Amino acid sequence: QVQLVESGGGLVQAGGSLRLSCAASGRTFSNYAMGWFRQAPGKEREFLVVISGGGGSTNYADSVKDRFTISRDNAKNTVYLQMNSLKPEDTAVYYCAARFGWQTRQAMGVPRWYDVWGQGTQVTVSS
């Protein structure tokens, strides 16, 4: 099992950008698909995007496809989420998660299919 630590969250004004990082340790990073999720107070955890172990496949939620970009650097055991054109409704705790291998695109959008989660990083977007 890998261990995950998110960083890069903070306060940003509407229309601004943030780049989140998720650093992994443990088993070989390239064997894990990596997803980003977020959870706002009173709401269920929401799938954002997933990337395959080698970086060749991605799947984005429709709501963020034009604004957020996932990438990974397997040499650094790190996955990134570039977030542009941020809106107040993007305010949430953002989590990265790891799944050994790959199931289906549908399954990779469901939190229960992931093996390991980071501690989360707060993103707050002001009006």
Side-chain angles (χ1 to χ4, degrees):
Q1 296 283 317
V2 299
Q3 292 179 300
L4 306 175
V5 179
E6 301 99 332
S7 62
L11 296 170
V12 63
Q13 65 179 335
S17 298
L18 285 173
R19 189 195 194 201
L20 306 183
S21 297
C22 177
S25 62
R27 296 176 62 184
T28 304
F29 182 61
S30 63
N31 291 149
Y32 289 82
M34 298 294 300
W36 285 98
F37 295 77
R38 68 186 179 189
Q39 189 165 23
K43 300 179 70 175
E44 294 184 350
R45 192 160 295 189
E46 176 188 8
F47 168 75
L48 300 175
V49 61
V50 62
I51 187 168
S52 61
S57 297
T58 58
N59 188 36
Y60 290 84
D62 289 342
S63 61
V64 303
K65 186 173 183 178
D66 294 333
R67 300 186 296 124
F68 293 6
T69 303
I70 193 170
S71 61
R72 66 190 297 160
D73 186 340
N74 287 349
K76 296 182 177 180
N77 278 23
T78 303
V79 64
Y80 305 96
L81 184 66
Q82 178 66 45
M83 306 188 295
N84 298 327
S85 301
L86 285 163
K87 307 172 182 178
E89 52 263 45
D90 294 319
T91 296
V93 177
Y94 283 68
Y95 298 90
C96 65
R99 161 80 181 189
F100 187 78
W102 182 272
Q103 196 161 337
T104 65
R105 287 183 178 268
Q106 186 275 329
M108 297 305 291
V110 179
R112 64 185 171 90
W113 290 110
Y114 285 79
D115 300 311
V116 182
W117 293 82
Q119 84 289 346
T121 186
Q122 177 71 44
V123 172
T124 302
V125 184
S126 62
S127 301

